[in-house]
């Protein structure tokens, strides 16, 4: 068969048989091999040509076999899901305002964004200037009255649809998240699925976000109306780029607010993907906007007089600035900040589960997880066996290409951060701790050679005063500390300014609850670690934050109440009035 015929047959098969395109393509009259998008009229043939080149067998084959391309490209289709508006390549424009990808109207230069896996520049993203921030906020403000007046059910349906679209594109979006973060693909799939979970949860909840009727004396009553706040300014960190954004946007939108989000400068991609998903799901233009930039753009957003609330995820030092900016406008502020959480393993704990949880508490996402249990307190009587098993399991972790299915440790976000993590290892050694495994750069071959891959580290002989034990490392570094009694370990576990999370491992149910209740943290696990389904609130005590994300409670953070008192009798003002 000639190359041309094979080609025709190929795209016919695609448009006829591929479920992803059902309902979106219509046949072209007089050409049985051709189909046209029902929405924009572009032919599938044109899309195919632009990607693989007509009759270019070699290039075609390369696209099909490369594991670095999402399946939609591997199947030879366009890099956009055909006319459904989701960009699946790392291409701009990078802002999303009023329902469209766009360049900022004023820019303070470009950010060179590095792909962690390769250490190479992946894209150059314009930094939004102050006028662009104004434009995005104005766009969100303009549509607020329309969006907030929809019924909860109508808003909820759109969020549910967004969740469905994410599930439909799970593999492709996960691939983008890997390119943004360097985390292994299997982890990215979990993160992106959790975004669908949150959209579905708040989509389902939206119709139930209602007020209260309060009966009062003499037949009078009050209506407690639940109102959205207005435009929410969201700012995110780089470790869970899309999840961080969805955890804020899904409840905010369900409550009737509109949103402007600034992703981390290191991970600009998937917040814009989310914008496209929301638009495709029917969320009106302007309800959700993205502006790219560094701290300056974030600060401008925080100061903006038309932003009613700030929802921030990041470090304590930046969170302090965000709170100060919020104070100027008397804005409500939610802060999701760092941690240095304890995991306490008693002598009766199930050893294998404790080891598994310690891996989860330290080495997911290259250790770049806010809630990580990096202070691993182990009862002295089981410490040597526990350390042996933990080091054995850690050494089995597979470091390498985040797109490889068997990789368990991907690339650190960027060189500076990797060097910071290594400096903590050096400081631990200097202070007398023992590096039991890892803590080194692992060089990769070929295109991954420029990435910063660090071997996960377990550190023994740690003391509470050591820098590595006191400060948030935000890398794969587990510090093991030994203890003798419950009273002692609880005191030591709480001896920190952080209070994000904690865990206790024991088979003694009373002790489990007692210790869980004594840990000063917003999230405590008994016999597991680092699980946060959407249904349960997450957030920190002390310097780890203010406010909560997820669960029902978040509705209080994205709404305010107006109480309307209805007097059914005469005004009773006592002796103030005499007939
Ligand atoms: P970061 O504080 O450096 O940056 C966070 C965001 O703030 C970025 O988007 C950044 O551009 C922006 N920013 C910087 N200066 C600003 C300013 N003056 N005003 C407004 N915005 C500004 O944090 P990071 O390095 O991106 O993330 C790592 C930190 O985030 C860690 O401490 C980690 O524990 C924390 N984190 C917390 C949670 C949580 O849920 N508690 C989740 C993820 C990460």
């Amino acid at each position: 068969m000639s190359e041309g015929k094979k080609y025709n047959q190929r795209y016919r098969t695609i448009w006829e048989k591929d479920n992803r395109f059902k309902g979106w393509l219509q046949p072209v009259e007089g050409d049985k091999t051709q189909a046209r998008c029902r929405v924009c009229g572009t032919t599938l043939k044109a899309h195919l040509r632009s990607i693989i080149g007509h009759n270019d067998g070699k290039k075609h084959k390369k696209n099909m076999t490369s594991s670095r391309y999402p399946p939609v490209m591997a199947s030879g289709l366009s890099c956009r899901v055909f006319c459904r508006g989701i960009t699946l390549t790392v291409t701009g424009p990078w802002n999303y305002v009023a329902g469209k990808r766009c360049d900022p109207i004023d820019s303070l230069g470009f950010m060179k964004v590095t792909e962690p896996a390769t250490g190479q520049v992946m894209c150059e993203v314009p930094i939004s200037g102050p006028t662009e921030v104004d434009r995005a906020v104005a766009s969100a403000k303009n549509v607020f009255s329309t969006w907030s007046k929809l019924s909860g059910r109508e808003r909820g349906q759109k969020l549910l649809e967004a969740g469905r679209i994410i599930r439909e594109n799970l593999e492709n979006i996960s691939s983008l998240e890997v390119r943004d973060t360097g985390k292994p693909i299997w982890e990215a799939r979990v993160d992106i699925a959790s975004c669908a979970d949150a959209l579905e949860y708040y989509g389902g909840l939206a119709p139930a976000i209602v007020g209260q009727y309060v009966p009062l004396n003499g037949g009078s009553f009050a209506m407690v109306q639940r109102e959205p706040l207005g435009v929410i300014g969201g700012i995110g960190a780089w470790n869970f780029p899309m999840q961080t954004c969805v955890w804020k946007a899904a409840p905010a939108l369900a409550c009737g607010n509109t949103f402007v989000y600034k992703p981390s400068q290191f991970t600009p991609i998937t917040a814009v993907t989310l914008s496209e998903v929301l638009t495709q799901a029917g969320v009106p233009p302007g309800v959700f906007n993205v502006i790219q930039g560094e701290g300056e753009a974030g600060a401008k957003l925080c100061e903006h007089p038309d932003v009613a609330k700030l929802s921030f995820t990041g470090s304590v030092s930046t969170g302090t600035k965000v709170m100060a900016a919020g104070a100027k406008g008397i804005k409500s502020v939610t802060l999701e900040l760092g941690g240095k959480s304890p995991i306490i393993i008693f002598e009766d704990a199930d050893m294998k589960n404790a080891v598994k949880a310690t891996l989860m508490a330290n080495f997911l996402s290259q250790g770049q997880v806010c809630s990580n249990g990096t202070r691993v307190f182990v009862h002295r009587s089981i410490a040597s066996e526990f350390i042996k098993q933990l080091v054995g399991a850690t050494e089995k972790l597979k470091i390498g290409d985040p797109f490889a299915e068997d990789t368990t440790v991907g690339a650190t976000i960027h060189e500076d951060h990797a060097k910071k993590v290594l400096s903590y290892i050096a400081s631990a050694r200097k202070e007398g701790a023992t590096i039991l495994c890892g803590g080194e750069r692992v060089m990769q071959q070929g295109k991954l050679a420029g990435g910063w891959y660090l071997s996960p580290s377990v550190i023994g002989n740690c003391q509470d005063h050591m820098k590595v034990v006191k400060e948030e490392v935000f890398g794969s570094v587990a510090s093991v500390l030994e203890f003798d009694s419950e009273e002692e370990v609880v005191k030591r576990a709480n001896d920190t300014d952080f209070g994000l999370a904690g865990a206790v491992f024991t088979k003694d149910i009373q002790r489990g609850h007692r210790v869980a209740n004594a840990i000063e943290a917003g999230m405590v696990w008994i016999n597991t670690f680092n699980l946060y389904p959407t249904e349960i609130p997450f957030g920190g005590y002390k310097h780890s934050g203010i406010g909560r994300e997820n669960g029902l409670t978040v509705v209080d953070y994205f709404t305010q109440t107006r109480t309307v008192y209805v007097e059914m009798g005469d005004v009773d003002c006592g002796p103030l009035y005499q007939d």
Side-chain angles (χ1 to χ4, degrees), residues 234-240 243-244 247-248 261-267 293-303 312-319 321-322 325 335-339 368-371 414 417 420 472 474 498 500 538-540 544-545 549:
I235 296 173
W238 43 261
N239 52 342
F240 291 85
Q243 189 193 70
T244 303
W247 280 13
K248 299 176 189 312
Y261 187 71
K262 191 203 82 65
S264 164
Q265 58 271 34
F266 301 113
T267 50
E294 300 174 327
E296 210 170 316
K300 172 74 186 158
L301 182 61
C302 294
E303 288 159 10
F312 172 81
T313 298
S315 62
V316 176
S317 64
T318 312
K321 292 181 199 158
V322 169
L335 300 175
E336 292 288 352
L337 309 177
Q368 303 160 145
V369 180
C370 51
S371 53
H414 53 66
H417 188 62
K420 186 177 154 205
E472 185 185 41
F474 220 51
F498 292 111
L500 191 55
F538 179 77
S544 289
E549 292 189 324

Side-chain angles (χ1 to χ4, degrees), residues 8 32 86 93 95 124 130 136 146 184 211 223 244 280 383 404 410 417 424 441-442 526 538 544 557 567 578:
N8 279 352
K32 281 192 180 161
I86 305 177
N95 281 8
E124 295 200 5
T146 320
M223 293 176 297
T244 303
Q280 193 184 309
H417 188 62
Y424 276 102
R441 184 178 184 190
V442 179
I526 300 179
F538 179 77
S544 289
Y557 294 98
E567 176 58 65
Q578 307 286 335

Side-chain angles (χ1 to χ4, degrees), residues 449-479:
W452 279 79
Y453 294 81
L454 304 186
S455 49
S457 182
V458 177
I459 307 187
N461 289 329
C462 289
Q463 303 296 325
D464 292 2
H465 64 266
M466 291 176 177
K467 190 170 142 90
V468 73
V469 177
K470 287 193 99 61
E471 295 180 13
E472 185 185 41
V473 177
F474 220 51
S476 290
V477 183
S479 301

Side-chain angles (χ1 to χ4, degrees), residues 433-454:
T434 311
I435 314 304
L436 300 169
C437 65
E440 284 167 351
R441 184 178 184 190
V442 179
M443 292 307 298
Q444 304 292 313
Q445 302 300 315
K447 65 187 173 210
L448 305 181
W452 279 79
Y453 294 81
L454 304 186

